[in-house]
Amino acid sequence: MERVRQLVSAVIAGGLIGMGGTVYLSQQNPVVGSCLFAIGLFTIVIFQLQLFTGKIGYLPMQKPVYLIELAITWIGNLIGTYIVAWMVRNSRIYEGMAEKVQTIAATKLNDDFLSIFLLAVFCGMLMFIAVDIFKNQAGSTIRTVGVFIPVMVFILSGFEHVIANMYYFSLSGVWSGHCLLSIIVMTLGNSVGGMIIPLYLKCFKIR
């Protein structure tokens, strides 16, 4: 039953990232869009939902069975993003963002895998920072700012977030073998980036 709960939680989390991606695509101002996108992660951490990029950083502190939870989370996030993408594609708001999301998807798919990996590493670090600040810092202000700022930074910098890209690829309808490989590379990059700070903390027994 716990695995079912994890899957449902991951589907909801993926849907929330999709909703964040939707409001981002709806904005002309990238700063405003990146700020509003962060509502997805903010809701996820408040309700302690399963988001792969928010959980992968804690792998060094967990037992091997944690890998099963990560796999369930990744699959659930994919399902959630796909569901929201299908809903948006079949609504009146899609026409206003179709060209923008197709351009975003094309830019990512035309990039080489090394570039994608490196950009995903940066995003993985920022996602760990956001989630860990919310979990471990006291005070509602610093916790809120700690979530929103890293998200805004990764979006405005063009870093690669695997779950957000699952949504963009689903919304633009570009899934293919190459697309799946790109998602796998992003997953690896986010994973490496997400574990850099935790490994430092563990190796030097800081936490």
Side-chain angles (χ1 to χ4, degrees), residues 60-130:
M61 290 84 161
Q62 302 291 329
K63 296 179 180 179
V65 70
Y66 189 67
L67 289 168
I68 298 175
E69 183 175 346
L70 287 173
I72 292 171
T73 300
W74 192 94
I75 292 169
N77 291 165
L78 175 60
I79 294 171
T81 55
Y82 187 85
I83 290 173
V84 171
W86 181 87
M87 294 171 70
V88 172
R89 280 179 65 88
N90 288 278
S91 73
R92 68 174 185 273
I93 66 173
Y94 177 66
E95 183 177 353
M97 63 184 69
E99 183 178 352
K100 185 174 182 179
V101 73
Q102 288 165 6
T103 300
I104 290 173
T107 298
K108 296 175 185 299
L109 291 176
N110 288 329
D111 199 4
D112 64 78
F113 288 150
L114 176 60
S115 173
I116 289 171
F117 176 81
L118 296 175
L119 294 174
V121 169
F122 291 134
C123 182
M125 292 184 68
L126 289 166
M127 289 300 293
F128 174 81
I129 291 168

